[in-house]
Amino acid sequence: MAQASAGQGLQTRRVLVVEDEFFIADDIRIALDSAGAEVVGPVATCDEALALIHEQSGRIDLGVLDINLGGELCFPAAEVLARAGVPFIFTTGYQEAMLPPRFRHVTVWEKPFDPLSLVRSLPAVIARQEG
């Protein structure tokens, strides 16, 4: 029963997951599914993320973006989401200090993290954007 309330406020929300580590992406997907969210992706590259953002234009409510995707940074996808007014968070195995100044306000989850805890935090991210 605790899992059902893990991401209260995510029901029917469409969440883009951009993560190049299969098991991490799958854990996030499972946690989001259990919270009632609809997962867009997951995808493992910035190009795939940009294609999904374009394809799903106006139908993504939130993004969970790994900063480093096999040596490629996801900042172009983050910029497109920001311009569209879509809230997002970053996940990373690196220090938060590597963020460009324009993204220093974005919530960062440092790996390793508990996917359920991450999902529990997402309704607040949406609420800040909508509030």
Side-chain angles (χ1 to χ4, degrees), residues 28 32 64 89-91 109 113-123:
I28 294 169
L32 286 166
V64 176
I89 65 163
F90 289 123
T91 64
W109 279 74
F113 56 78
D114 172 46
L116 286 175
S117 295
L118 180 138
V119 167
R120 283 186 199 105
S121 77
L122 296 178

Side-chain angles (χ1 to χ4, degrees), residues 17-21 42-49 66 68-70 72:
V17 177
V18 182
E19 171 61 62
D20 63 336
E21 298 281 339
V43 295
T45 70
C46 191
D47 285 343
E48 290 174 312
D66 181 10
N68 186 336
L69 303 165
E72 170 189 35

Side-chain angles (χ1 to χ4, degrees), residues 14-126:
R14 295 175 48 85
V15 182
L16 172 66
V17 177
V18 182
E19 171 61 62
D20 63 336
E21 298 281 339
F22 173 80
F23 292 109
I24 295 172
D26 199 47
D27 287 347
I28 294 169
R29 180 194 59 77
I30 290 167
L32 286 166
D33 282 345
S34 74
E38 182 179 341
V39 178
V40 179
V43 295
T45 70
C46 191
D47 285 343
E48 290 174 312
L50 289 167
L52 264 182
I53 293 167
H54 177 72
E55 177 186 304
Q56 301 290 322
S57 180
R59 296 182 11 220
I60 295 174
D61 298 305
L62 178 70
V64 176
L65 311 176
D66 181 10
I67 291 176
N68 186 336
L69 303 165
E72 170 189 35
L73 299 178
C74 75
F75 298 136
E79 288 173 6
V80 172
L81 290 175
R83 280 196 303 271
V86 176
F88 57 90
I89 65 163
F90 289 123
T91 64
T92 186
Y94 298 94
Q95 293 187 0
E96 198 172 327
M98 77 170 285
L99 285 176
R102 68 188 177 281
F103 293 127
R104 294 246 167 93
H105 69 284
V106 176
T107 299
V108 176
W109 279 74
E110 288 189 30
K111 297 176 183 177
F113 56 78
D114 172 46
L116 286 175
S117 295
L118 180 138
V119 167
R120 283 186 199 105
S121 77
L122 296 178
V125 175
I126 294 171

